[in-house]
Amino acid sequence: MAARPISTVIKHQQLLVAVAKTSVSEAARLMEKHKVGAVMVVDARGQLSGIFTERDALFRVLAAGRDPATTLLSAVMTKKPQTIPPDRPVGHALHMMYENGFRHVPVVENGRPVGMISARDALGPELQEFESEVQRRQRIGEILG
């Protein structure tokens, strides 16, 4: 599973981007609406300039006592984040996340975002298999009493 290309994971994603002048409150609303943990920040040419994650909201905004309604992404985003091209294997993205302590990697072609891979996305089939196994064991436990 780790050898499958990232492009297969992101092929049906709806691209979620914002500009650096977006408030943290608005970015959080977008993330909640799309049920994601990060938004990619782009410049006027559509080039990736940063990433803003739920961790950034917690540590760089709330814990720092900033007002989410007036704080702009430009002040709290991770600038020039590590990226990965869509033809790389999922395992490479997982390795990047593990080695660097983050959970989201922007997928980029020619400087433009084409998707986002998260640890949850990358483990999709494996996570589903694990959940099925847990449910199977629970049913067996119920049968055996």
Side-chain angles (χ1 to χ4, degrees):
M1 293 293 175
R4 66 194 152 114
I6 292 169
S7 59
T8 64
V9 175
I10 66 165
K11 68 181 171 187
H12 297 295
Q13 276 185 1
Q14 181 180 359
L15 195 60
L16 182 60
V17 298
V19 295
K21 291 182 180 181
T22 303
S23 72
V24 168
S25 292
E26 180 58 27
R29 282 190 288 276
L30 285 170
M31 291 161 56
E32 191 276 330
K33 179 181 177 183
H34 294 274
K35 298 184 180 2
V36 296
V39 61
M40 293 177 283
V41 182
V42 296
D43 63 19
R45 298 174 297 136
Q47 299 284 308
L48 182 72
S49 60
I51 183 174
F52 179 75
T53 69
E54 56 202 358
R55 282 176 149 179
D56 294 329
L58 180 62
F59 300 133
R60 295 180 179 176
V61 181
L62 297 176
R66 294 176 185 232
D67 180 357
T70 60
T71 302
L72 303 181
L73 293 183
S74 59
V76 291
M77 69 182 185
T78 300
K79 295 177 176 145
K80 299 181 182 176
Q82 291 187 36
T83 64
I84 194 164
D87 62 342
R88 298 301 305 261
V90 169
H92 185 78
L94 285 171
H95 182 74
M96 284 176 66
M97 291 179 215
Y98 174 77
E99 288 290 313
N100 297 288
F102 45 75
R103 295 182 271 194
H104 299 87
V105 181
V107 182
V108 175
E109 280 187 308
N110 301 317
R112 294 182 179 274
V114 295
M116 176 87 74
I117 187 156
S118 69
R120 187 170 192 72
D121 293 334
L123 294 174
E126 291 83 357
L127 189 57
Q128 288 175 349
E129 186 177 319
F130 174 76
E131 289 171 345
S132 293
E133 180 64 18
V134 168
Q135 290 173 355
R136 186 181 71 80
R137 288 178 185 214
Q138 286 175 338
R139 284 193 302 271
I140 290 171
E142 290 169 1
I143 293 169
L144 296 177

